[in-house]
Every structure is written in C-alpha cells, then in structure tokens.
Amino acid sequence: MRTIDHLIAGHSGGGAARQNDVFDPNTGKVQAKVQLGTQAELDKAVAAAQAAQPGWAATNPQRRARVMFKFKELVEANMEELAHLLSSEHGKVIADARGDVQRGLDVIEFACGIPHALKGEYTQGAGPGIDVYSMRQPIGIGAGITPFNFPAMIPMWMFGVAIAVGNAFILKPSERDPSVPVRLAELFLEAGAPEGILQVVQGDKEMVDAILDHPAIGAVSFVGSSDIAHYVYRRGVAAGKRVQAMGGAKNHGIVMPDADLDQVVQDLSGAAFGSAGERCMALPVVVPVGEETADRLREKLIPAIESLRVGVSTDAEAHYGPVVNAAHKERVENWIQKGVDEGAELVVDGRGFQLQGHEEGFFIGPSLFDRVTTDMESYREEIFGPVLQIVRAPDFESALRLPSEHQYGNGVAIFTRNGHAAREFAHRVNVGMVGINVPIPVPVAYHSFGGWKRSAFGDVNQHGPEGVRFWTKVKTITQRWPDGAGDLPRGSEDGAAARIQDAFVIPTMG
Ligand code: NAD
C-alpha cells in the first residue's frame, strides 16, 4: 500500500511509529497510509529551514518572485493530476478540485508581485536632518496547520505569502488528505526554491503540539475547527509566537421579499450543497424575511434540492461527491437526527442515500430543514455537511440579528434589489465577510480573508496585504547624517573615502 511521507530538506521519507489511514471516500476503502511524525521529524525540518532561510531572505525579492512565477506555471501544467489526486482523497468533484487549486494559485499570483508589496515607507525631514523609514523583514521560520477541506488552496494561502516575503515554511497538512500538499512542495522545489524553504511534516495533534512549542518557529497560521483553533491560538501565543487561527462557521443568507428567488435557489444549490457542504464559506442557513417569502422560497427549493445529483467525485455530471470519511458521515447524520429531535421540520431527508455500485462510499443525500429556531443546538453548531436550514424571520431587523448574534462570524450574504437595505446590512452586520447578491463572498487574493467572533482567533487575516503583515516584522529606522564633509580625509592617504565623498558633491555649473 502507498505510504505518504514527509518532505524534509528536499527528500521524502522518514519512518514513523504511527500511521493514519487515508480513504477513497467514493469506495470507503483505505487507499494509502500517511506517516504521523514526531518531534524528531520536526527538529530535522527546523534545522533545514534554519540553514536555508538566511540565504533566501537575502535573495532579492524579484528573484524570489521568479520562483513563484515558475511554481505557478508548474502547478498549471500539472493541474489535472493535482485535481484528480485531491478529489480521490477528499471526495469533492473534479471541477471543485480544480477550483481548490486555482484559488490557491490566485494567492501565488499575488505573491509574484511581492517586490511591490514589500516597499516600505519613508518620511523625509522628520526633524532637522532626520529621515525615517520602515522596512518589512521576514519572521524567519513560519508554520502552517491546515484542514482537510481545501488541501491545495489553504496551504497556498499561507506559504505563498510567507515564502515570498523571505521566510522558510513548514506545512503540517490534514492527515485525511495529505498527498496534494506534498506534490505542491515537490513542484516548489522543481521551480527552483532551495531545499528547506518549503517542507511538509505529516502528523496529528502530536506534531501540532511540537510545532506550537518549538522555540525556532516564530509564527503559526492555523485553519480548522473552532475549538482546535482556540487551543492552537492560546498555546502558540503562550509560547511567544505570532498566531492566526481561523475556525468554523455557520454562514447565513438573508433573503429579502424583493429578491430574485430563482437566482437565490440556484445560488443556494451551489453554496449550501457544493463540495457536500464541507466549506467554511458554505451557506447552510437561509433566512427568508416574511412568511410569504419563506413559503415561496421553500416551494422552489424542494424540487431544486431533490434534483441535485450526488455521484462519485469523477462523475462530471455530479453536483457533489461523498464526504471525507465514515466518521464525518455519521456526525452529519447525527446532526440531522438532532434537528428532528429538537422539533425542526425535516422537509427533505438525505440520510440513507446509497449510490449503486458504491454502497460503502461516504455519500449523504441533500437535506432541507424548515422552521429551525435559534434555541436549537443544530442551529447553533456547525454541521459541515449537505444540510440547509430555513430560519424564518418576520422582518429585516430580526434577520440582521441572527448572524450578528451567532457565535460564528465568518461569512454572510443578503439577497435583495434594494440598495439601501443592502448597505444597512453590510454596515451593521457583526460578521467578517459580506456578500451582496453573492452567496460565497470569499475575498479575492489581493484582499484578505478572515472572519470574526469564534471564526477567527488573532488579529491579522490571511493573504493579501494582511498576509504580508502577518508574515513580516516592521523595522523602523530614524537616521541623521551629520554634515561631516570637512572632516572626511581627502587625497592619497584614503582614496576610497574621498571617492565616496566626491560622489555626493553636486558639480557646480559654469
Ligand atoms: P480540524 O480542526 O479537525 O483539523 C484542522 C487541523 O488541526 C488538522 O491539520 C489536524 O491535524 C489538526 N488537529 C486535529 N485535531 C487536533 C487536536 N486535538 N490538537 C491539535 N491539532 C489538531 O478541522 P477539519 O475537520 O480538518 O476542517 C474542517 C473545519 O475547518 C471546519 O470547522 C471548517 O469550518 C474549518 N475551516 C475554516 C476555514 C476558515 O478560514 N475559517 C477554512 C476552511 C475550513
């Protein structure tokens, strides 16, 4: 059986006492084993990073950007291989898998412009003869700990920027779909990056704790579920590191009475069920404003949901594929039962779905709940599966309160033709990323990504200008050069100094 290794100092390998099963979610069978590394593997990676990073930081930013350009070309050339590998471990359909890689590449494109992003600030004449300037310098060694649901995009969010600004980067991907991160690191080497600049250590909690406690790692970026994000944040900060830790989500879509409901239904089919709902920017809660809007929406949603095609991840016609593993399938189905027990109305039940010929695959049909209320645990917690919940709101103000008062604050959307309502909503809602008639408002790579409340711990967001800030330290220099012209030696006893001085003398005209 295939073993998925670490990639340390340019070489794959490294035995481990423990391994994790990596499944093919389409068949339910184990397709590979991944190493679960320890402090020993991390120490080797840190030593290689320490050897490589000073030279990389001293390489001028344009040359670093050229490696990024080359990496982008290589990923594009290998897109189909990467998308199929990703899909085979995650279960998302191929088109979604390509999107996963492409959204990561968007950040690599941003990183190609790093010379511009690193230009500092300058104040001339801050005092008599005094100028002040600031520069951004890399942290040194950064680490990323990533979730299973975007095994290409999220690593690239992190290492694209971290490396372009001059850091070495150690990635610990999800142990559920670890192959694509290793391929990306191999392509990065092929692009001309020195060994030790991008390394992959495989593992679970043991490796995460080793990263958080390692004194040579200066910054840690985490994306995953909220309880673990909070733990990572606290432990990393206690160890003196800079930490950003993105967590879970429960994004709401507010539907005003004037919204184009056919468009909303089409948007929700993708935003709630695409990738089997395993997206932190999925839209699992829809809030129609007014009973009449709710009834009309429900009537249109039912046939749309019932017509969704669930299939193997290589089925080009499938709307979505299986969820990542059996434990997650059981968890989602338990949440559906919980919703029923709590008194929500289960309008479409996706449990018990079986795909002919793939009876052991981790498939779940789409589910729709109506009359979900805020006291229900199935509303308050993240389900992370193909389940859409309707929460009816009597008016705009009550609809605005729902996402604002929810424990998560990642994304939110409003569907309306009314510019004033949209503006009010965008300005007042207590959530980090807002869509106006855009169901999945993921900011483009040159803006920054990050939620509020329990969706993100730490102050600085992912990629874009915030990413540059996260992966660098600011140094500010206040300088004064005394007018020492008369004191400088001239003539043969110190020709070099004289030549320097001459270079500063402005020739007089005439
Ligand atoms: P997860 O929290 O289970 O795992 C994330 C990472 O943490 C993995 O690398 C894993 O190995 C590690 N980990 C797991 N258990 C740990 C423990 N006890 N101690 C230390 N580390 C541990 O998340 P997941 O299931 O892989 O991903 C799905 C979650 O990620 C969802 O909650 C989703 O909303 C969230 N997510 C958030 C964003 C965002 O930007 N806010 C983006 C994508 C996913």
Side-chain angles (χ1 to χ4, degrees):
M1 182 167 293
R2 188 165 63 97
T3 302
I4 303 159
D5 287 320
H6 314 279
L7 188 74
I8 297 173
H11 303 286
S12 75
R18 295 186 304 130
Q19 294 186 325
N20 196 54
D21 290 339
V22 177
F23 290 91
D24 174 351
N26 292 305
T27 62
K29 294 202 167 60
V30 177
Q31 59 162 317
K33 300 268 185 188
V34 60
Q35 310 277 26
L36 296 178
T38 62
Q39 180 81 45
E41 280 81 29
L42 182 65
D43 285 343
K44 279 187 215 152
V46 167
Q50 282 173 321
Q53 193 269 335
W56 180 245
T59 303
N60 78 51
Q62 200 173 350
R63 283 179 190 274
R64 293 200 302 260
R66 282 188 196 132
V67 174
M68 291 293 166
F69 273 111
K70 184 71 193 160
F71 175 63
K72 171 179 138 61
E73 278 172 19
L74 289 171
V75 173
E76 281 167 348
N78 289 277
M79 177 64 91
E80 287 312 300
E81 179 218 326
L82 288 165
H84 279 82
L85 187 59
L86 195 160
S87 165
S88 76
E89 291 182 357
H90 177 287
K92 63 175 75 175
V93 296
I94 301 292
D96 256 353
R98 283 192 204 105
D100 191 330
V101 179
Q102 183 55 53
R103 292 309 294 245
L105 271 186
D106 292 351
V107 175
I108 301 301
E109 284 173 7
F110 169 76
C112 289
I114 210 68
H116 176 65
L118 281 178
K119 285 189 297 193
E121 295 175 331
Y122 194 96
T123 300
Q124 183 189 349
I130 294 178
D131 304 323
V132 180
Y133 64 97
S134 63
M135 57 174 79
R136 294 200 159 268
Q137 295 191 324
I139 302 280
I141 303 176
I145 300 157
T146 53
F148 82 85
N149 70 322
F150 280 98
M153 176 185 81
I154 293 178
M156 284 193 267
W157 276 2
M158 299 174 180
F159 77 69
V161 182
I163 291 177
V165 301
N167 294 293
F169 190 86
I170 297 173
L171 173 64
K172 202 244 32 105
S174 170
E175 62 275 40
R176 297 188 221 169
D177 48 8
S179 289
V180 165
V182 174
R183 276 300 290 141
L184 292 173
E186 287 169 354
L187 292 173
F188 204 67
L189 281 170
E190 206 179 317
E195 289 171 4
I197 290 300
L198 175 58
Q199 304 178 88
V200 181
V201 292
Q202 308 287 4
D204 55 6
K205 177 174 166 48
E206 186 177 343
M207 183 59 87
V208 171
D209 288 348
I211 289 171
L212 293 172
D213 296 343
H214 204 297
I217 294 175
V220 175
S221 180
F222 172 92
V223 177
S225 50
S226 285
D227 286 347
I228 297 172
H230 195 203
Y231 163 79
V232 164
Y233 181 74
R234 282 176 297 152
R235 188 160 174 158
V237 167
K241 297 181 200 319
R242 184 178 288 188
V243 184
Q244 58 179 186
M246 276 60 192
K250 189 89 177 191
N251 306 325
H252 295 53
I254 312 301
V255 181
M256 296 297 287
D258 66 349
D260 175 346
L261 287 196
D262 291 323
Q263 184 63 47
V264 169
V265 168
Q266 198 181 318
D267 286 348
L268 282 172
S269 301
F273 300 102
S275 203
E278 294 170 320
R279 290 179 181 145
C280 70
M281 288 297 274
L283 212 57
V285 177
V286 61
V287 184
V289 174
E291 285 297 316
E292 202 245 330
T293 315
D295 292 342
R296 280 194 297 133
L297 181 68
R298 170 179 162 147
E299 201 177 304
K300 284 175 185 283
L301 269 173
I302 294 170
I305 291 173
E306 284 174 342
S307 69
L308 290 174
R309 179 179 167 110
V310 184
V312 289
S313 61
T314 47
D315 175 354
E317 303 293 311
H319 190 262
Y320 70 86
V323 298
V324 69
N325 61 21
H328 192 55
K329 177 177 164 157
E330 192 185 334
R331 189 174 165 271
V332 173
E333 291 185 340
N334 286 343
W335 274 121
I336 297 172
Q337 186 55 44
K338 178 81 180 167
V340 173
D341 296 345
E342 290 178 315
E345 183 190 349
L346 184 55
V347 183
V348 181
D349 186 355
R351 291 172 299 176
F353 174 90
Q354 287 216 322
L355 191 67
Q356 215 181 354
H358 289 82
E359 285 75 11
E360 302 302 314
F362 308 135
F363 296 94
I364 311 177
S367 293
L368 176 68
F369 275 106
D370 193 2
R371 304 187 189 282
V372 173
T373 52
T374 54
D375 55 328
M376 295 178 182
E377 212 184 327
S378 56
Y379 166 74
R380 293 198 306 265
E381 299 298 330
E382 181 181 42
I383 296 177
F384 219 55
V387 182
L388 178 61
Q389 298 170 304
I390 301 177
V391 182
R392 296 173 175 235
D395 50 41
F396 174 81
E397 290 296 330
S398 336
L400 173 65
R401 270 201 301 278
L402 288 168
S404 295
E405 291 175 1
H406 201 279
Q407 62 164 329
Y408 294 117
N410 215 37
V412 70
I414 183 166
F415 300 93
T416 181
R417 291 183 169 98
N418 181 327
H420 178 69
R423 183 176 185 278
E424 277 289 292
F425 183 80
H427 286 223
R428 288 170 57 197
V429 72
N430 186 20
V431 171
M433 292 176 280
V434 181
I436 298 174
N437 298 313
V438 172
I440 305 187
V442 175
V444 290
Y446 43 92
H447 284 257
S448 298
F449 181 105
W452 290 2
K453 298 180 280 182
R454 278 180 58 77
S455 292
F457 303 93
D459 303 316
V460 188
N461 286 345
Q462 296 278 353
H463 64 70
E466 295 260 303
V468 173
R469 252 170 251 140
F470 184 76
W471 294 110
T472 54
K473 299 172 286 193
V474 179
K475 183 179 278 180
T476 308
I477 294 113
T478 304
Q479 65 175 10
R480 179 169 59 195
W481 293 98
D483 176 9
D487 306 333
L488 280 174
R490 295 185 68 90
S492 58
E493 75 276 22
D494 195 336
R499 276 197 300 282
I500 291 169
Q501 176 64 15
D502 285 346
F504 286 94
V505 175
I506 301 167
T508 47
M509 302 296 287

